[in-house]
Amino acid sequence: MISLTLLFFFCIFSTFSASIKVHTAGPRLNNDKVYKYAYTTEVLIDKPRGSPEDSVGYKISSDVEVNLIWRNPTNKDDQLIKIAMKNIKVENINLHPQGPNIFTETSAAQLLGDTNLAILQRPMLVQWTNGKVKTLYLYQNEPTLLTNIKRGLASLFQVQLSPGTVTEVDVSGNCKVTYQTKKNQVTKNKELASCKISKTGFTNSNKVLGISNKETSSTVYRIDDDNLKSVLAEENHVLILNVYETIAAKVLCRQKLELKSSEAGPKEVAGKQLSNVVKTVDPKYVATPLVADQVKSQCKGCPLLLQQWKTIRKDLEPENLSKSSAARSFLQLIQSLRRARKSDIMALLKSEKDDVLPQLIDAVTFAQTPDALEALLEYLDFGNGSRPLLQERFLYATGLASHPNESMLRALLDKYKGKIANAEIRETVVIIIGALIKKLHQATGSELPAVLEAKKLILDGLQKADKPSDVKIYLLALKNANLPEGIPFLLKYSESGDGPVSSIAISALQKYHISFITDEIKKVMNRIYHQNYKIHEKTVRTAAADIILNSQPTYMEVKNLLLSIGELSQEMNKYMLSVFQDILQFEMPASKLIRQVLKDMKVHNYDRFSKLGSSSAYSGYVTRGPDSSATYSLDILYSGSGILRRSNMDTFVYSKNTELHAIQVVIEAQGLESLIAATADEGEEDLESFAGMSAILFDVQLRPVTFFQGYSDLMSKMFSATGDPISVVKGLVLLTDHSETIQLQSGLQASAEFQGGLAIDISGGMDFSLWYRESKTSVNNRGAMVIKGNITIDSEFANIGMETRLETESSFNFITTVKFSSYPFLVCMQMDKGAFPFRRYITKYEKLPCGKSYVSRKGKVQTMMGSELPLHQENSNMCRVVFEEQQDSTDSWF
């Protein structure tokens, strides 16, 4: 019985053994044979969802001969093999019916040159152990591009026959790969994002304006009788602009190695040491890393800086800044500046006139190269107060920089320690230092020495500041820096500071992520709103309420806020009521809890929800799409006398679960009641007459602008006013700035550059007429935007690429008119989005050094209709009355 059982298991084992290979460590080559393969590698560039026949690209094909040179006497799976490319061709992939097929009738020798062709066909030696490429042997000083192509071919021999996840080195770098096996087939999936390889490039510090890269790589091996029968590899790189996914590009790379035949070959070389065998074959061979080297590309035919400037200068004159040509020329200028030396930049700055110098300062700053920074620091003399406008433009551009480095922060710290003649410029330096702290922390995630020093400057400055003006500047810097360790200072000044100081401190807290808003912070905000310890201005109280409602409020916090309506001043009652209604209609996070509270009839009753007033809060969508959306919100708070107290307009952009505070314009006024013999609200009886504007641009708080301060200043400006708006921000901004190299597994290298330029002009004003008993505030936003994406593969013997470009020009205006000739006052708010063009262009090309080229251009132009953005119904009713009164006054005799 036992013998029958043993016999049964023996038969089972014999059958199982016959179904698998005795040798499972890795593929092998047989002795004295040459294996002849057909090899092709293709590279294509197109839109992510473009049809294959519309793409541009080329393929390299060749015969490949592989034979065994030496086998380790102590380990039969340790082999030295020779791989040689022969009969190399460079050909079209797609035939272009509408244009020339530039690779036809062009030989590889003509494209590469005889010398380079000979180098590419020179055999390489590979130590192949258990299916893994251990060492690659090439001649020294072979051209980098040709070496990388050989590395791409050698990397196809990197395989293992057992399933599992391992770290593996090939032409793409040190990568995490997963093997799956099925009969005589092995599939290798490479996680390209894990590949560690030396790269150049940079990207935006903010993800909304940045680029997403979707990468896949899969290689399928077919192995019979321990021999590689075929290898099929494919990788895809899709680059997408997060905020607008139409700006995108795809690079596709394929490799195919297929065994065609085998025949008798040279004898195996005897020897014990691999190094001696390699010297015997050819002493010129040296061990070479399998990871690709960076190919240094040079811009051929690119214009010099001064030549470029002459062709685009007119586009950057002040009167042209709202046109798309200004943004387009701005991006071209930045490319030239990044190639320029310090001496060339200095010569250009010194040669220009005042009308274009501010725009030139913007461009040089956004170039963000060491030469550009050194030239600016030498040209802008902060110790001389003669050019504050240029110094301010440099500082704002530095704060808005797409990928600032430690040198930029160090330069500002050094300037702060030195002499700064203009007091406002000194304040701006401190505010922008805060912006760089946040951006550098986002980019590196570590504490750089300059960042630590800058943090200390701001926090120590807050501790030592004794004048309200100094406190406000350091609070604005802290608002930009978003430092968790600064929260105790913000709480202190929120509750104990005077009105303007408290407002800035609370607005700084509003910029923190909800995870930082602790119960302690909310307790302070509740004390401020409910005035437990002291009387606060209503601008401070409403800002505190905003933090509570946007930070996962409790049931009782919401209930207490609602119960306060009816106990407040008239306009604050109306404002808080509008805030709750806005949260409900816009479905904000707190809306579900508010609905629960409103089930209590003590809270939800006619008396509470029928309060009159002109103040309001409203939110809506500017645009809403599958890849991104943009919202606007408008909060208006009036004093009891009907004069504007605060106007707050915000625009946010959302994409990829991140947000960008694109624009905020706040206009504040106080102490104007005496002009119309009105009574000031509680806590605001002794406020000095003041009006000013504060702005946030792309998450960076700018230095506030004062319209007037003090009664005498107000009267002088009323009589000397020209009616022209005051410029808050005017200039050029580099929105998107992404550059990277993509190492393809064929050995070729792709370059991707995405840039977005904005020419912007934000202005605002406040007109106050005692004669007509009318006030009008206006915020005017005009701008032009150009976003372009360039992806190229420049292999010296052929250049292919695609450029996709988006252009638009737009205007966005907000006007508030208050008529206080009768009571209650009439208030009309208007938010107008002007009609704007929307242009998109796609250019694809293939070019050869000899001048032959294929170019495909397509474009689409649309005009988007303008509209008045909706606000609440009460505002619409009020605007009708205001316009009727204006019409009546126009028809009168006087």
Side-chain angles (χ1 to χ4, degrees), residues 682-749:
E682 179 189 26
E684 301 180 1
E685 298 86 354
D686 301 321
L687 294 180
E688 181 184 31
S689 297
F690 167 83
M693 179 184 291
S694 174
I696 289 175
L697 185 61
F698 301 113
D699 258 340
V700 177
Q701 171 70 56
L702 308 181
R703 184 177 57 79
V705 175
T706 298
F707 296 152
F708 60 81
Q709 185 159 7
Y711 185 78
S712 59
D713 188 25
L714 165 61
M715 298 310 294
S716 66
K717 287 181 177 175
M718 281 180 64
F719 287 112
S720 63
T722 62
D724 296 331
I726 296 176
S727 177
V728 181
V729 181
K730 189 171 187 176
L732 301 161
V733 181
L734 188 61
L735 289 178
T736 295
D737 197 16
H738 177 91
S739 175
E740 70 171 300
T741 55
I742 302 171
Q743 182 56 56
L744 302 175
Q745 57 193 26
S746 64
L748 297 175
Q749 182 178 288

Side-chain angles (χ1 to χ4, degrees), residues 58 60-61 85 87-90 103 106-121 143 145-146 149 748 795-798 848-849:
Y58 59 86
I60 301 172
S61 60
M85 299 175 69
N87 303 319
I88 296 173
K89 298 177 182 177
V90 183
F103 292 96
T106 305
S107 67
Q110 291 173 314
L111 293 174
L112 292 164
D114 292 334
T115 301
N116 284 340
L117 181 61
I119 292 172
L120 191 56
Q121 293 185 144
L145 174 63
L146 305 182
I149 292 174
L748 297 175
S795 55
E796 297 179 13
F797 56 86
L848 298 181

Side-chain angles (χ1 to χ4, degrees), residues 62 94 103 119 137 145 167 207 223 263 273 299 319 391 426 443 478 625 631 658 680 730 736 773 849 865 884 890:
S62 74
N94 294 322
F103 292 96
I119 292 172
Y137 295 93
L145 174 63
T167 300
K207 290 183 180 179
I223 301 172
E263 59 185 45
Q273 298 295 326
C299 190
E319 60 270 19
Q391 294 164 4
R426 188 170 189 83
L478 186 54
T631 64
T658 57
K730 189 171 187 176
T736 295
R773 298 185 68 81
M865 298 300 294
E884 286 174 3
T890 303

Side-chain angles (χ1 to χ4, degrees), residues 544-563:
D546 178 77
I547 290 179
I548 296 168
L549 290 170
N550 285 289
S551 305
Q552 298 176 346
T554 64
Y555 182 92
M556 287 308 300
E557 284 174 335
V558 172
K559 184 175 181 179
N560 287 334
L561 288 175
L562 280 164
L563 286 172

Side-chain angles (χ1 to χ4, degrees), residues 616 632 634 636 638 647 649 776-781 812-818 827-833 867-872 875-876 878-880 882-883 886:
S616 64
Y632 69 94
L634 178 60
I636 304 285
Y638 292 96
S647 161
M649 185 188 74
K776 181 177 288 189
T777 59
S778 61
V779 178
N780 308 311
N781 300 274
F812 187 77
N813 302 317
F814 164 53
I815 301 170
T816 304
T817 304
V818 181
V827 180
C828 173
M829 295 175 290
Q830 297 167 271
M831 296 184 72
D832 293 329
K833 183 172 65 172
S867 63
E868 185 168 341
L869 298 178
L871 296 173
H872 50 285
N875 178 69
S876 300
M878 194 78 77
C879 286
R880 292 191 189 98
V882 169
F883 291 144
Q886 288 179 345

